[in-house]
Structures are given as structure tokens and as C-alpha cells.
Amino acid sequence: MSKGQVFIISGPSGSGKDTVLKLLLNKYPEIKFSISSVTRPMRVGEVEGEKYNFISKEKFQEMINNNDLLEYNEFVGNFYGTPKKPVENAINNGEDIIVEIDVNGAAQIRKKIPEAVSIFIMPPSLELLKCRLNGRGTETPEVVEKRLLEALSEIKRAEEYDYIVVNDLLDEAVQGIASIIVSERLRLSRQYGLINEILG
Amino acid sequence: MSKGQVFIISGPSGSGKDTVLKLLLNKYPEIKFSISSVTRPMRVGEVEGEKYNFISKEKFQEMINNNDLLEYNEFVGNFYGTPKKPVENAINNGEDIIVEIDVNGAAQIRKKIPEAVSIFIMPPSLELLKCRLNGRGTETPEVVEKRLLEALSEIKRAEEYDYIVVNDLLDEAVQGIASIIVSERLRLSRQYGLINEILG
């Protein structure tokens, strides 16, 4: 059986990454999604086990000690990490799995899984990015400015990725990522043994 | 503007390649198709300028002399070749173009256009391949046997290709090739300048 493939997906705040991924996973339920372990408190609207497993700092430290994480980082006193086991299981079961992660986490995963395919979701323009970040209306101008600077520094690192999907039309962006996943399954290197199988 | 991409598509007799390509080009009319120049007589049902330009041996020799062909070969006294100009035009206009060709022609084109992406259309099983070749009912057993041997020797060279698309379910095969074409457009290397364009 062919091995599964890891798809690293990144995109700055304002890229619309969350919406794209939600639609993609609804449309292609066979694609697995890597659930991050985090120590920050759950926010309103979040559901345990959907995008995150909310765990204690002690439990997180235990995962670090046991080498149970593919990557992790600390951000304003909280830990965020990608558990290793579900990713390994997907690969071994021939399933595709998406790891949604920032540019730094992506770099860490690439080192451990060099064959991972990485996709950067890009806002269609700087103006629209600013507008989307402002439009949330829930943040102070300082927070919006900080998010924008972070987004710009992530965009500069888009050249580390294999593919760039511009999220202009939502359906096209979803279809673009789906096309990448389907085409990667058709690669000669993913179809080991097929030729001999056909020749019998 | 990004350059167009050349997609080499091969597949043995019985792979269903012609039907797959017909559906693909109907569904995605923006994809160009390279029309071969041939010196053999037109067969019943063929249309000048659809898959082939039917030209004289003198004209073909002229194309060889003028270096107007990307590749060519001789087969039982007739010449078959891929004109260079339409392929170059497509690349320079940012258009994708499909070159349908056998494994030997594919190898020649790969040498001249190393960045070409190659796709092999594979019959789903040896049994079905035999059945399809027999099923035409228009050939003698000797011709069927010869076609089968040719098909097997082509299949052995499928490992020279970037992608293998098994033509089991026709729609899936068409969608598979479309996914490869779409995903290749999303490659970082095809989106030169995009990051700076977004950053403004």
C-alpha cells in the first residue's frame, strides 16, 4: 500500500485560511486534519478536539519529554504543538493529513518530514488583507497593526512553500488545494509497485 | 506574466487515452493541444487539423531541414512529428499545452523541454487491456497481439513519467489530469513575482 502524504498548510491572518480549510474538509471527509495540542484557555466558539486539544502545561511538558511532538513552540506563555502519533498513523495507513501551522512550525516539520508538501494560502492583495484585518472590528488599531506586520512577515516567507494558493474566489481556492492533494496522489513516487501490478 | 506549461501525455493502445483527452479538452477549452504533422494518409473519421495536419513528405522534410520540429520519427515509411512553433507560442503566452505522444517521443521532448510535466495514462489491468484491444473487433489476431506487445513495452516505461493516471473510471481519470494541470499552475515556481506583487 502507498504511504499517506502530509500537507502543511499555512497562511497569515486575513488570508481566509480557516474558511478555506473548513470547506475543504467538509468536501473531502477522507482527508485527515492534525489536531494541535495547546495550553491556552479555550475561546468562545471553540470545541475541544475540533482544531485543538486543550491540555494542561504539565501534560504538554510530558509530551515534550516523551518526544511525542513533531514540533512545538511557546507564545506569550502558552505552548502550541503538533502531536506526532496521528500524523505517523495517517502516513502508515495511506491517508492524507493536513497540518495547519505557521511558517516557523512549517519549517520545523519540513526538517522532520522532507517529503511533506507545503501550501501557502495568500490574500489576493495587500489592500484586501488590511481590509479583512480591520473588518473584524473586534480588535484595537494596535492589535490590527500588529497582525498586519505579522502577516507581512509570513507572506515574505511564502517562497519556502511548494505551492501558493491565492484566496481570491473561495471556491477556486478550495478547488486549488483539492487539485494539489489529488495530483500528489497520482505522482509516480506515490504509486510504487503499480506498474508491476498492472503487468501482472 | 508566468510562462505556460507543456504537459506530455502518453498511454498505450487500450489505455483509453483518446477518450480521456477528448473529454478533458471539451471540459477545459483553455488548454491547448499540440497538433502533430504526419505524412500518412488520412483515415476514415479523421479531420484535417483536429489531431493531425496531413502533409506531404516533401513538406515534412522541409520542416526537418528548417528545425521546425520538436521531435519526429519514421514509422513504416511515414513521418510523424511535433511542430515547434505552437508549443513555443503557448509557453510564451502563458498557456498550457498538451502534447500527446508515445514513450519515445516523450523522451525526446523531455530532453528539449526538461520542465515539461509528463503523465502516463494506464489501463487498470492487463486483462482489461487485452479485452479492450480485442473488443475493437476490426483487427486480425496478429495485429491485436502486436498491439498488446507494444502496449506492454510502453507500460514498462511508465516509470519515466512524473504522474500515472489509471483510467479505470473515465471521469476520475479526466479529473485526475485536470487536477495535475491546475496544481502545476499553483507551484511556487510558476508564480514568479507573485509575493512581491502582493506585498506591493
Side-chain angles (χ1 to χ4, degrees):
Chain A
M1 188 177 63
S2 286
K3 290 202 163 191
Q5 179 66 277
V6 176
F7 293 89
I8 297 169
I9 299 194
S10 304
S13 273
S15 66
K17 177 185 54 176
D18 288 346
T19 314
V20 170
L21 282 178
K22 203 170 179 176
L23 284 176
L24 180 80
L25 293 167
N26 277 341
K27 205 165 163 187
Y28 300 90
E30 79 278 15
I31 302 172
K32 303 286 168 191
F33 181 79
S34 159
I35 296 165
S36 300
S37 291
V38 299
T39 64
R40 71 161 172 77
M42 203 185 287
R43 291 177 194 147
V44 176
E46 287 185 329
V47 176
E48 161 66 26
E50 201 176 69
K51 275 188 72 171
Y52 302 108
N53 284 135
F54 297 91
I55 64 173
S56 66
K57 287 187 186 171
E58 292 68 33
K59 174 78 182 125
F60 201 99
Q61 192 56 56
E62 210 181 295
M63 291 181 85
I64 297 175
N65 296 345
N66 294 339
N67 193 23
D68 283 342
L69 295 165
L70 257 184
E71 62 77 39
Y72 69 94
N73 65 72
E74 201 189 337
F75 184 66
V76 286
N78 281 305
F79 288 97
Y80 298 76
T82 304
K84 195 187 280 177
K85 201 76 196 155
V87 175
E88 286 180 346
N89 286 347
I91 293 174
N92 293 328
N93 292 336
E95 295 168 325
D96 294 320
I97 185 163
I98 288 175
V99 182
E100 181 196 346
I101 200 157
D102 73 352
V103 288
N104 293 313
Q108 285 189 60
I109 292 184
R110 261 187 225 107
K111 271 188 203 154
K112 294 209 180 159
I113 310 176
E115 63 275 24
V117 170
S118 61
I119 303 170
F120 192 90
I121 301 181
M122 184 75 94
S125 71
L126 193 56
E127 191 186 351
L128 194 59
L129 175 69
K130 286 176 184 167
C131 183
R132 282 180 186 166
L133 290 175
N134 269 314
R136 295 186 179 171
T138 52
E139 324 276 8
T140 64
E142 291 72 28
V143 170
V144 171
E145 181 65 19
K146 191 166 161 283
R147 287 247 166 95
L148 180 61
L149 290 175
E150 279 169 11
L152 294 181
S153 84
E154 293 226 342
I155 289 173
K156 279 179 191 144
R157 292 180 62 185
E159 60 186 22
E160 297 171 16
Y161 288 71
D162 298 311
Y163 297 95
I164 298 182
V165 173
V166 177
N167 182 19
D168 190 358
L169 300 170
L170 187 58
D171 282 348
E172 251 181 45
V174 171
Q175 210 41 56
I177 297 177
S179 294
I180 293 166
I181 294 174
V182 168
S183 74
E184 287 290 337
R185 288 178 191 157
L186 298 173
R187 281 197 175 277
L188 178 72
S189 53
R190 290 284 300 280
Q191 305 201 71
Y192 181 76
L194 175 73
I195 298 172
N196 287 329
E197 211 176 275
I198 302 276
L199 291 174
Chain B
M1 188 178 64
S2 287
K3 291 204 160 191
Q5 180 66 276
V6 176
F7 292 90
I8 298 169
I9 300 193
S10 305
S13 274
S15 66
K17 178 185 52 173
D18 288 345
T19 314
V20 170
L21 283 178
K22 202 170 181 178
L23 285 176
L24 181 80
L25 293 167
N26 277 341
K27 205 166 165 187
Y28 300 90
E30 80 277 15
I31 303 173
K32 303 285 167 193
F33 182 78
S34 159
I35 297 165
S36 301
S37 290
V38 300
T39 64
R40 70 159 172 78
M42 204 187 285
R43 291 178 194 145
V44 176
E46 288 183 330
V47 176
E48 161 66 26
E50 200 177 71
K51 275 188 71 172
Y52 302 107
N53 283 136
F54 297 91
I55 64 174
S56 67
K57 285 186 187 172
E58 292 68 31
K59 174 81 181 121
F60 200 100
Q61 190 58 54
E62 210 181 295
M63 293 182 83
I64 297 176
N65 296 345
N66 294 338
N67 194 23
D68 283 343
L69 295 165
L70 257 184
E71 61 79 38
Y72 69 94
N73 64 72
E74 200 191 338
F75 184 66
V76 287
N78 281 305
F79 287 97
Y80 298 76
T82 303
K84 197 188 277 177
K85 202 74 195 157
V87 174
E88 286 180 346
N89 287 347
I91 294 174
N92 292 329
N93 292 336
E95 296 169 325
D96 294 320
I97 185 163
I98 289 174
V99 182
E100 181 196 345
I101 200 157
D102 74 351
V103 289
N104 292 314
Q108 284 189 61
I109 292 184
R110 259 186 228 109
K111 271 188 203 153
K112 295 210 180 156
I113 310 175
E115 64 275 24
V117 170
S118 61
I119 303 171
F120 192 89
I121 301 180
M122 184 74 95
S125 71
L126 192 57
E127 192 186 351
L128 195 58
L129 175 69
K130 286 177 186 167
C131 183
R132 282 180 185 167
L133 291 176
N134 268 314
R136 296 186 179 172
T138 52
E139 323 279 7
T140 63
E142 290 73 28
V143 170
V144 170
E145 180 65 19
K146 190 165 162 282
R147 289 246 166 95
L148 180 62
L149 290 176
E150 278 168 14
L152 294 180
S153 85
E154 293 226 341
I155 290 173
K156 279 179 192 146
R157 293 180 61 184
E159 61 186 23
E160 297 171 16
Y161 287 72
D162 299 311
Y163 296 96
I164 299 183
V165 173
V166 177
N167 182 19
D168 189 358
L169 301 171
L170 187 58
D171 283 347
E172 250 180 47
V174 172
Q175 211 39 59
I177 297 176
S179 294
I180 293 167
I181 293 173
V182 168
S183 74
E184 288 290 336
R185 289 177 191 159
L186 299 173
R187 282 197 173 277
L188 177 71
S189 53
R190 289 285 299 281
Q191 305 202 73
Y192 181 76
L194 175 73
I195 297 173
N196 287 329
E197 210 176 278
I198 302 276
L199 291 173

